[in-house]
Amino acid sequence: MSRGLAAMQDRNFRWFFLARAITMIAGSMSSIALAFAVLEIDNDALSLSFVLAAFTISNIVFVLFGGVVADRLPRALIIQSCYVVDILSIGSIAALLFTGTATIPALVVLSVVNGASTAFVMPAMQGIIPQLTTPEHLQQANAMLSFVRSAVTIGGPIIAGILVATAGPAWAMVVQALGWLIAIPILALVKLPPPAHGGGTTMFHDLRIGWHEFWSRSWLWTVVIAFMIMNAIHVGAWGVVGPYIAKNNDLLGIAGWGWVVSAEGVGVLLMTLLLLWFPLRRPLRFGMIGMAAFAIPLTVLGAHPAVVLLAIAAFIAGAGVEIFNTGWNLAMMENIPGEKLSRVASYDMLGSFVVMPIGTLIYGWLITHADPATVLISSGIIYAVVALTTLFVPSVWRMGRPAGTLTARS
């Protein structure tokens, strides 16, 4: 088997990959559908920011406990259980939209449920991947998952834009719930050894161990601090202001916004193809340079949100984001013990996400009180400066890969 698909040699990874692909395909339309569902109920960026903030706040509250649970219990079982919760919460949103009884408070409550469920899924996802394949194939495994994610990102937003404009956002929610339902029995085919955690310790003791692992690595907490700022900008400027401008600016439009988000997915897709075969020798150095490229579409969105120009900028940013995503996953999975990986990942997620609700609320307020162009261009500049500043930390700049993982192409 070629090097790019080498991770498919492992049976467990094949089943996990199939289940994950199905959920990514089914869920690829949900974020756009939810955004426009909110704006359909109340055409106010502040209302959208409330719903998005509810999801993130719930995620933040529960993510550390999700990391502890994922190091204690079978990770595939945790993912399956959370999918059941997701089916119920997403199905409820669809039912409310179909019956015309959806309100902003109801969507906020259901977003809280969905955010809590995701808080347990994410650390389990991060911790399970090294269990599914060999260290030599870890980059390919991550790149293959990113390939599917980016592929569905290309088509999903376009279909979502058309579906929302014609049939309404509720049908996208139905598709997502069905995808989760199909994935649950497939995940049951993943057979892994029991967790290494021997029990006999309290949850807070496990959290302290995870914190020590996190804080003892300067590259880890440096990048997480940077993402506290970058994610707040991303979720506010791109996640709140972007759909608002799309709905209220004829130069862009809802369908145009779908094309822009899809262009970002194309950039990710092409980069994953390269990363399937070419080893990433300096995962954090090139990753943070790649992240700085996201300042380009932020600036274009503020200066001149024409569909073609913004799509080109989003394409470049998508390629850069994928370099970081693969590099960051490799840095975590290759440098942190597997039995502690979910806990450390939960601290990473907490630090990266903790200011996102603030970002959504701040940008929801800014867009109604300040010039959008000024807000977005300033945000792009700050984003680039923060990303590139991390390169001055030696452990970020110098980090390489373990011996034996950078084999020649085959």
Side-chain angles (χ1 to χ4, degrees):
M1 185 175 292
S2 68
R3 173 177 170 82
L5 302 177
M8 295 297 282
Q9 296 174 13
D10 189 280
R11 175 185 178 277
N12 283 325
F13 180 77
R14 289 197 302 270
W15 287 122
F16 176 84
F17 179 82
L18 177 60
R20 188 73 181 115
I22 290 171
T23 57
M24 285 191 284
I25 292 169
S28 62
M29 299 181 290
S30 62
S31 60
I32 287 182
L34 179 61
F36 290 113
V38 173
L39 294 173
E40 199 174 82
I41 298 168
D42 184 3
N43 187 26
D44 185 357
L46 196 58
S47 295
L48 177 57
S49 70
F50 285 148
V51 175
L52 297 177
F55 175 91
T56 309
I57 291 171
S58 177
N59 195 283
I60 289 168
V61 170
F62 290 100
V63 71
L64 291 183
F65 300 103
V68 172
V69 171
D71 280 339
R72 288 184 172 214
L73 300 178
R75 288 160 176 157
L77 178 61
I78 293 170
I79 298 169
Q80 289 172 295
S81 301
C82 291
Y83 280 174
V84 173
V85 176
D86 290 338
I87 290 170
L88 296 175
S89 62
I90 294 166
S92 297
I93 294 175
L96 291 173
L97 293 173
F98 276 128
T99 58
T101 57
T103 63
I104 298 301
L107 294 185
V108 166
V109 171
L110 290 169
S111 292
V112 168
V113 175
N114 197 236
S117 173
T118 305
F120 286 83
V121 170
M122 292 190 304
M125 286 281 189
Q126 186 78 359
I128 200 174
I129 295 174
Q131 296 180 278
L132 302 171
T133 189
T134 63
E136 294 79 14
H137 301 152
L138 196 55
Q139 178 173 325
Q140 285 72 34
N142 280 286
M144 287 180 66
L145 291 167
S146 292
F147 177 84
V148 176
R149 185 182 302 111
S150 58
V152 299
T153 301
I154 297 168
I158 297 174
I159 298 172
I162 297 172
L163 192 60
V164 170
T166 56
W171 283 106
M173 304 296 177
V174 172
V175 171
Q176 181 174 347
L178 289 174
W180 267 231
L181 188 64
I182 295 170
I184 290 172
I186 296 175
L187 280 172
L189 299 173
V190 175
K191 305 298 182 183
L192 297 172
H197 193 290
T201 58
T202 66
M203 180 169 289
F204 291 104
H205 174 270
D206 289 350
L207 285 173
R208 287 196 299 271
I209 297 297
W211 172 254
H212 173 75
E213 293 289 335
F214 174 85
W215 194 249
S216 64
R217 295 167 170 83
S218 60
W219 59 268
L220 184 51
W221 55 260
T222 295
V223 173
V224 169
I225 290 174
F227 268 84
M228 291 176 68
I229 301 171
M230 293 161 62
N231 281 345
I233 294 173
H234 187 284
V235 74
W238 197 251
V240 175
V241 181
Y244 180 78
I245 289 179
K247 191 174 189 299
N248 296 281
N249 189 313
D250 293 336
L251 196 61
L252 185 55
I254 295 175
W257 182 246
W259 283 104
V260 168
V261 177
S262 294
E264 182 183 356
V266 173
V268 174
L269 181 70
L270 294 181
M271 184 54 64
T272 57
L273 290 175
L274 293 175
L275 292 174
L276 281 171
W277 279 275
F278 294 93
L280 192 56
R281 298 180 181 275
R282 298 289 180 181
L284 295 187
R285 180 191 302 181
F286 297 128
M288 293 311 298
I289 293 172
M291 283 305 304
F294 201 82
I296 301 172
L298 287 177
T299 304
V300 173
L301 182 62
H304 186 65
V307 175
V308 175
L309 185 62
L310 188 55
I312 294 171
F315 170 84
I316 296 170
V321 167
E322 177 52 29
I323 295 173
F324 173 80
N325 286 340
T326 297
W328 184 247
N329 286 333
L330 290 172
M332 293 277 286
M333 295 174 186
E334 292 177 345
N335 292 279
I336 297 170
E339 70 275 10
K340 302 172 184 176
L341 180 54
S342 290
R343 275 170 287 173
V344 175
S346 70
Y347 278 107
D348 161 35
M349 295 165 189
L350 176 64
S352 299
F353 299 162
V354 68
V355 296
M356 288 173 67
I358 300 174
T360 59
L361 296 173
I362 287 176
Y363 278 87
W365 180 86
L366 280 174
I367 199 62
T368 60
H369 291 80
D371 175 50
T374 302
V375 170
L376 289 166
I377 293 170
S378 300
S379 298
I381 294 171
I382 295 170
Y383 194 99
V385 169
V386 171
L388 296 175
T389 298
T390 62
L391 300 177
F392 290 98
V393 177
S395 57
V396 173
W397 179 261
R398 296 173 184 169
M399 176 179 284
R401 302 283 304 285
T405 60
L406 298 175
T407 56
R409 285 185 295 155
S410 57

